Amino acid sequence: MRLQKYMADAGVASRRACEQLILGGRVTVNGTVAHLGMTVEEGDQVLFDGNPLAPATRRVVVLLYKPRGVVCTSSDPEGRRTVQDYFKDVPERLYNVGRLDLNSEGLLLLTNDGELANRMMHPRFGITKTYYVVCEGKLTASQLHKLTNGVELDDGPTAPAIIRNVRPTPSGGTALSITIREGRNRQIRRMIEAVGHKTLRLKREAYGPLTLGALRPGQWRYLTDSEIEQLYTASQIKQ
């Protein structure tokens, strides 16, 4: 097996990212600094930054309903709960597929498949993400048009979005559904701010073909083999 595939199967990163790690001299095979083109056989010792790697014994993807107030890191210096706290009894090492900020909630995927995680996050594959948004004040037709066709952010204009189910809230705000194919940091909040409003609630309801279903905040489940295959198809990963 190619070394970069072995590393990706171990959940380190995508194959391409693993190639860069190999080039950076951070990987050894049987005590020798690895180079591109190396293959790995059963019984070989592979170390990444001095830590032993082993290919995953099973492919795992979980779907978590991340509550508000939970951070998407493995640890937190302020002692806040992290998404990893939900998976202390899961033997596999799981990586987030993207993030949701502290005050956002909803669908978060975690997996031990580095290749899948990186492809799902890469804008090249255009995997959709749908959010339920509540913002302050009334969104005008002009502002909705801007959100649909793209708004200018400090890191460039956004791609077109799909806006659905726009309706007023009892408190005078606006609720709506936004679907995007990008994944910039805090993108939805920044889009709403760019048209003059503050986001009060942000919940990711769907990621690609997956939805929260009946899960409640803090609950999670393993994806079925069929659901994982759907993600591989969406990410254009050949099996």
Side-chain angles (χ1 to χ4, degrees):
M1 178 187 295
R2 289 275 184 176
L3 176 57
Q4 57 265 39
K5 183 178 187 306
Y6 181 94
M7 293 174 64
D9 287 351
V12 174
S14 69
R15 295 184 200 182
R16 181 168 296 181
C18 288
E19 290 175 358
Q20 296 304 311
L21 297 174
I22 295 168
L23 289 171
R26 298 173 63 182
V27 183
T28 63
V29 177
N30 298 327
T32 301
V33 176
H35 58 81
L36 287 183
M38 289 187 75
T39 58
V40 179
E41 299 179 356
E42 186 175 355
D44 286 340
Q45 182 189 55
V46 180
L47 302 182
F48 170 53
D49 286 344
N51 299 310
L53 293 180
T57 56
R58 62 170 182 158
R59 180 179 59 183
V60 174
V61 186
V62 300
L63 191 161
L64 167 70
Y65 187 146
K66 186 194 92 68
R68 295 178 67 178
V70 174
V71 294
C72 289
T73 56
S74 57
S75 61
D76 182 68
E78 298 181 30
R80 295 170 296 190
R81 190 166 197 183
T82 78
V83 294
Q84 293 296 333
D85 290 335
Y86 292 94
F87 304 104
K88 291 180 178 179
D89 295 329
V90 175
E92 291 80 12
R93 184 179 180 183
L94 301 178
Y95 299 84
N96 302 343
V97 181
R99 294 179 180 233
L100 290 170
D101 64 47
L102 177 68
N103 294 316
S104 297
E105 62 185 294
L107 194 160
L108 182 71
L109 296 175
L110 298 95
T111 182
N112 63 345
D113 188 325
E115 179 82 355
L116 176 62
N118 281 277
R119 288 206 174 206
M120 288 201 65
M121 291 185 287
H122 200 292
R124 168 188 168 192
F125 300 101
I127 298 175
T128 59
K129 294 171 281 290
T130 299
Y131 299 83
Y132 168 72
V133 184
V134 177
C135 68
E136 285 184 341
K138 179 182 178 181
L139 283 169
T140 66
S142 173
Q143 291 168 338
L144 290 169
H145 179 79
K146 288 180 180 179
L147 291 172
T148 299
N149 290 279
V151 296
E152 189 68 37
L153 302 180
D154 56 8
D155 52 357
T158 63
I162 298 172
I163 309 294
R164 299 188 183 94
N165 301 327
V166 181
R167 67 263 191 207
T169 66
S171 60
T174 304
L176 65 155
S177 173
I178 301 180
T179 298
I180 61 174
R181 293 181 179 272
E182 301 175 283
R184 306 187 206 181
N185 183 43
R186 303 182 80 251
Q187 181 172 339
I188 299 294
R189 293 184 185 275
R190 292 193 292 142
M191 289 172 65
I192 297 296
E193 184 179 1
V195 296
H197 295 264
K198 179 182 179 181
T199 299
L200 301 177
R201 186 182 181 191
L202 182 61
K203 173 185 174 183
R204 184 191 284 160
E205 296 187 314
Y207 198 147
L210 303 173
T211 64
L212 285 169
L215 290 182
R216 305 294 296 170
Q219 294 181 333
W220 63 274
R221 67 175 180 85
Y222 288 103
L223 294 193
T224 65
D225 288 341
S226 175
E227 289 173 323
I228 294 174
E229 290 304 321
Q230 290 181 57
L231 296 185
Y232 271 73
T233 298
S235 303
Q236 300 177 34
I237 297 177
K238 296 180 179 180
Q239 295 297 291

